[in-house]
Amino acid sequence: MDTEIKEEIPVHEEFILCCGVETQVLKCGPWTDLINNQRGTRPKLLIFIIPGNPGFPAFYVPFAKALYSATKRRFPIWIISHAGHVLAPRGKKILTTSEDSNAEEVKDIYGLRGQVEHKLAFLRTQVPKEMKLVIIGHSIGSYFSLEILKHAPELPVSP
């Protein structure tokens, strides 16, 4: 891939409170808010990357940019950190949502099941219900992806 093209691709960093835990999300492409985006400009599909350990999204940015270019910049690509693996820098705004109601329900947010619940809570609060998903998992992220499919069959995940 041409590195000049990759450098022009916007990557937006956000920290949100998900299940009561700071969570880094890197968003490749111009779409940073899919819930409040007007329907006419909202993409039909989101590519969602769940990293392997140690759960740092920044490691996957070159891959996300290459994938974004390969899909002709038609779909957003979001990379989520594992719960508790990335802390927001001092002074960085942490976004909150009124729908972060699962915070008390997740007993072991840092365990395997808790990490799956963390990703599910994010998808349910940050991604429109009708938006198709392509979930890419690396290493333990693959396990999380399979568990998401098992525990949330209502999510419109593309095969």
Side-chain angles (χ1 to χ4, degrees):
M1 293 257 145
D2 188 329
T3 55
E4 286 183 34
I5 291 174
K6 285 191 232 174
E7 289 176 8
E8 294 174 15
I9 296 171
V11 177
H12 177 75
E13 177 187 55
E14 286 182 359
F15 283 88
I16 66 161
L17 206 58
C18 183
C19 297
V21 177
E22 290 179 19
T23 304
Q24 183 187 39
V25 182
L26 298 180
K27 299 178 175 185
C28 192
W31 307 278
T32 58
D33 183 353
L34 294 175
I35 296 288
N36 297 313
N37 194 347
Q38 295 177 353
R39 290 201 174 269
T41 60
R42 183 187 294 165
K44 297 187 183 329
L45 181 128
L46 169 66
I47 300 172
F48 188 67
I49 300 173
I50 303 173
N53 278 333
F56 298 134
F59 178 78
Y60 298 87
V61 168
F63 171 68
K65 286 182 173 185
L67 189 56
Y68 185 69
S69 291
T71 60
K72 299 185 181 8
R73 301 176 178 230
R74 293 181 306 166
F75 309 115
I77 300 171
W78 290 4
I79 315 163
I80 189 170
S81 70
H82 295 328
H85 285 222
V86 181
L87 295 176
R90 180 175 286 156
K92 181 82 173 173
K93 182 179 177 184
I94 299 172
L95 304 174
T96 57
T97 174
S98 60
E99 296 184 30
D100 188 25
S101 59
N102 294 339
E104 292 156 24
E105 294 177 24
V106 179
K107 301 290 182 222
D108 182 16
I109 189 70
Y110 304 111
L112 287 176
R113 182 71 192 142
Q115 291 288 348
V116 172
E117 290 297 323
H118 172 257
K119 310 309 178 269
L120 281 171
F122 177 85
L123 290 171
R124 288 178 174 144
T125 60
Q126 301 296 316
V127 180
K129 290 180 176 137
E130 68 279 358
M131 179 162 286
K132 291 189 188 282
L133 294 167
V134 170
I135 301 177
I136 299 172
H138 172 239
S139 191
I140 194 67
S142 298
Y143 171 79
F144 295 154
S145 300
L146 291 172
E147 289 296 298
I148 286 169
L149 294 174
K150 184 165 83 175
H151 294 287
E154 75 280 3
L155 289 176
V157 178
S158 291

